[in-house]
């Protein structure tokens, strides 16, 4: 039996003795988006196909199809492009562009932007993939509407409260005491700390204010979780959805989009509450 000598620089099993230094990637301080590529991928709750989440220039998220499509296959009003991690609703002059997933989702009615043959073929492929996921039990379509706030006069905590940050009203993605930091930890996973701390906001009643260009709404008051009395730095921390530990960390990236949606009294009428909820104590941040 001939002896086997490992090559120089390797162990007996062939693994290298010296590993190259690990690259340390950081988010540029001037970057408009701090979201990592790993934090952009998701699955459509209606069809199960992959989507990529990106923030728009107004801060609202949008789900884009993960692959680029030829610009000639999409009408001018349906083209999107990316710049520094932010999605913009027009093309950038190249031969390729991105398209919202809603225009291709098999669950949605056919979109006029997808009337071309290449996009119709792509929509049919997504439909077949959805059928395979359902047949194999890997995906169950979400047929229930999202949970909304209780009726007027209900004093329990809102499932999606309206929060006032820097004099702007936002619709939160979950109850106040469950909002979680979106920053990446040194272990490369999402931070487990919660946003509320020793200086929480306060529930107040404010009039529903129409957005720009909308008709005047009836004179109705709504419950708002107001953070305007907090220092400017604390309000920035809340809007960035970061805990007190990661608020000052400029090198930590985000593993998820901040769950704030600009509040629209017409689109979010189901979440308007006319009475203040019963005061509840915030749960301590997870350690």
């Amino acid at each position: 039996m001939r002896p086997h000598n490992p090559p120089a620089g390797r162990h007996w099993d062939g693994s290298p003795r010296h590993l190259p230094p690990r690259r340390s990637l950081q988010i540029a301080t001037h970057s408009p988006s701090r979201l990592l590529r790993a934090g952009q991928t998701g699955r459509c709750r209606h069809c199960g196909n992959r989507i990529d989440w990106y923030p728009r220039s107004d801060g609202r998220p949008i789900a884009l199809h993960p692959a680029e499509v030829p610009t000639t296959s999409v009408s001018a009003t349906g083209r999107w492009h990316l710049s520094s991690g932010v999605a913009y609703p027009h093309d950038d002059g190249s031969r390729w562009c991105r398209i919202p997933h809603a225009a291709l989702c098999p669950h949605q009615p056919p979109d006029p932007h997808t009337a071309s043959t290449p996009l119709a073929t792509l929509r049919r492929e997504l439909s077949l993939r959805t059928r395979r996921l359902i047949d194999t039990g890997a995906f169950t379509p979400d047929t229930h509407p999202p949970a909304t706030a209780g009726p007027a006069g209900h004093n329990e905590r809102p499932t999606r409260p309206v929060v006032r940050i820097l004099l702007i009203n936002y619709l939160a993605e979950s109850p106040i005491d469950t909002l979680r930091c979106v920053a990446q930890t040194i272990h490369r996973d999402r931070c487990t700390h919660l946003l509320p701390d020793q200086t929480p906001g306060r529930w107040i009643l404010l009039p529903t204010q129409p957005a720009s260009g909308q008709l005047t709404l009836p004179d109705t008051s709504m419950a708002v979780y107001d953070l305007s009395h907090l220092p400017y730095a604390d309000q920035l921390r809340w809007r960035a959805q970061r805990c007190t530990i990661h608020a000052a960390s400029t090198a930590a990236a985000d593993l998820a989009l901040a769950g704030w949606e600009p509040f629209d009294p017409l689109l979010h009428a189901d979440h308007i509450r006319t009475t203040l909820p019963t005061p509840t104590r915030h749960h301590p941040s997870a350690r």
Side-chain angles (χ1 to χ4, degrees), residues 35-43 50-54 66 255:
L35 184 65
L36 291 178
R37 184 72 180 177
Q40 297 169 354
T41 303
R43 294 284 177 179
R50 177 188 158 188
I51 54 179
D52 284 351
W53 288 102
Y54 288 94
L255 276 182

Side-chain angles (χ1 to χ4, degrees), residues 25-26 118 146 154 168 171 173 203 212 228-229 246 256:
L25 300 180
Q26 296 182 353
H154 200 262
I168 300 176
L171 187 66
E173 63 179 350
W203 286 102
S212 177
S228 301
H229 64 286
H246 289 104

Side-chain angles (χ1 to χ4, degrees), residues 116-156:
S116 62
T117 301
L119 295 185
T121 302
L122 180 57
R123 178 186 174 90
R124 184 164 55 252
E125 292 176 355
L126 295 181
S127 179
L128 293 175
R129 186 178 304 167
T130 299
R131 185 182 305 175
R132 287 195 297 268
L133 291 174
I134 296 176
D135 293 342
T136 57
F139 170 71
T140 302
D142 186 2
T143 57
H144 301 284
T148 59
H154 200 262
N155 61 356
E156 293 183 359

Side-chain angles (χ1 to χ4, degrees), residues 6 15 36 57 92 103 156 160 182 200 204 220 232 237 264 271 282:
S15 59
L36 291 178
S57 55
D92 58 352
E156 293 183 359
R160 296 194 65 187
V182 299
I204 61 174
T220 305
Y232 179 73
R237 177 182 71 83
D264 189 315
H271 300 280
H282 294 302

Side-chain angles (χ1 to χ4, degrees), residues 20-98:
R22 199 171 192 176
R23 294 179 60 190
S24 178
L25 300 180
Q26 296 182 353
I27 301 294
T29 56
H30 60 275
S31 175
S33 174
R34 309 189 66 81
L35 184 65
L36 291 178
R37 184 72 180 177
Q40 297 169 354
T41 303
R43 294 284 177 179
C44 176
R45 62 188 180 94
H46 296 299
C47 68
N49 289 291
R50 177 188 158 188
I51 54 179
D52 284 351
W53 288 102
Y54 288 94
R56 293 188 277 194
S57 55
D58 58 0
R60 293 182 297 170
I62 183 173
L64 299 181
H65 182 66
E68 293 181 322
V69 296
T71 304
T72 54
S73 302
V74 187
S75 62
T77 55
R79 301 170 186 171
W80 288 72
H81 83 279
L82 302 176
S83 178
S84 300
V86 179
Y88 296 92
H90 50 80
D91 65 82
D92 58 352
S94 66
R95 296 183 301 171
W96 302 91
C97 67
R98 301 293 291 268

Side-chain angles (χ1 to χ4, degrees), residues 35 57 72 92 105 112 121 164 167 181 206 212 219 233 266 278 286:
L35 184 65
S57 55
T72 54
D92 58 352
C105 181
T121 302
R164 190 171 181 84
L167 302 180
C181 179
L206 292 178
S212 177
D219 187 12
L266 296 181
T278 301

